[in-house]
Amino acid sequence: RKEVEQDPGPFNVPEGATVAFNCTYSNSASQSFFWYRQDCRKEPKLLMSVYSSGNEDGRFTAQLNRASQYISLLIRDSKLSDSATYLCVVRGSGGSNYKLTFGKGTLLTVNP
Amino acid sequence: EPEVTQTPSHQVTQMGQEVILRCVPISNHLYFYWYRQILGQKVEFLVSFYNNEISEKSEIFDDQFSVERPDGSNFTLKIRSTKLEDSAMYFCASRAGRHGLAGGGEQYFGPGTRLTVT
């Protein structure tokens, strides 16, 4: 099983649509969870951290289910500017070095 | 807003040559990282660095790779003898890491150096 596995995509949605991304991780001792976005040939940019209680930032909602080792990201009322690759990222257990493990990403294209 | 910077943005080198990729982390950050991304593949961890020493490295980070913080601001990645398969985007990241400070866990990435080995 891959360490971090995401929907392969790509997703093509119209403006205003709601889109959900799913992610699973294999290491049950993982400590922290994040969603990053990456535009073509650019660096990953932190979108939001993911907490067990679930968290929301405007149109974005992230959920974490530790028992199922499952993370999700929901984007409501999608905009053209949301077009990017969405990366599910997990921080491993142990130590203080905070190594991040990335999923391969899911490409989202929002169409006018 | 403080940001991580990297130079050069693009480096072309011949196989067997040495390259040094440079990064300036965010000024009050304590933890530094290098990642790489081969075109079309996922971002992969290379090495983490804290208190002037390597704290963890991946199996990719073999004897051909080294890191250094030569002064109070720069953080460098050296590849001694480049191979074709070293062609990738190399990202530097930094993290504040101060206990008790909100946001100390998040890593912030620089814009990357695209390394092309011919």
Side-chain angles (χ1 to χ4, degrees), chain A residues 49-70:
Chain A
S49 302
V50 188
Y51 304 115
S52 296
S53 53
N55 47 304
E56 188 173 308
D57 182 2
R59 297 180 294 108
F60 299 84
T61 301
Q63 296 277 352
L64 167 65
N65 184 323
R66 283 189 184 268
S68 305
Q69 294 174 215
Y70 168 83

Side-chain angles (χ1 to χ4, degrees), chain A residues 14-50:
Chain A
E15 267 187 291
T18 296
V19 60
F21 300 104
N22 301 308
C23 172
T24 56
Y25 59 95
S26 61
N27 185 351
S28 59
S30 297
Q31 298 289 317
S32 303
F33 310 90
F34 309 92
W35 285 101
Y36 279 73
R37 68 170 277 167
Q38 186 175 30
D39 294 291
C40 188
R41 295 182 172 243
K42 300 284 190 183
E43 74 273 24
K45 288 191 175 172
L46 179 65
L47 184 63
M48 57 199 303
S49 302
V50 188

Side-chain angles (χ1 to χ4, degrees), chain A residues 63-84:
Chain A
Q63 296 277 352
L64 167 65
N65 184 323
R66 283 189 184 268
S68 305
Q69 294 174 215
Y70 168 83
I71 308 160
S72 66
L73 175 69
L74 187 77
I75 305 176
R76 288 181 300 278
D77 187 24
S78 51
K79 314 287 185 198
L80 296 177
S81 56
D82 294 334
S83 296

Side-chain angles (χ1 to χ4, degrees), chain A residues 6-8 10-11 21 35-45 47 73 75 81-89 102-109, chain B residues 37 40-43:
Chain A
Q6 296 186 238
D7 291 329
F11 288 9
F21 300 104
W35 285 101
Y36 279 73
R37 68 170 277 167
Q38 186 175 30
D39 294 291
C40 188
R41 295 182 172 243
K42 300 284 190 183
E43 74 273 24
K45 288 191 175 172
L47 184 63
L73 175 69
I75 305 176
S81 56
D82 294 334
S83 296
T85 297
Y86 288 82
L87 307 174
C88 178
V89 183
F102 286 75
K104 200 170 175 189
T106 305
L107 176 63
L108 171 67
T109 301
Chain B
Q37 186 175 31
Q41 298 189 22
K42 65 180 182 178
V43 177

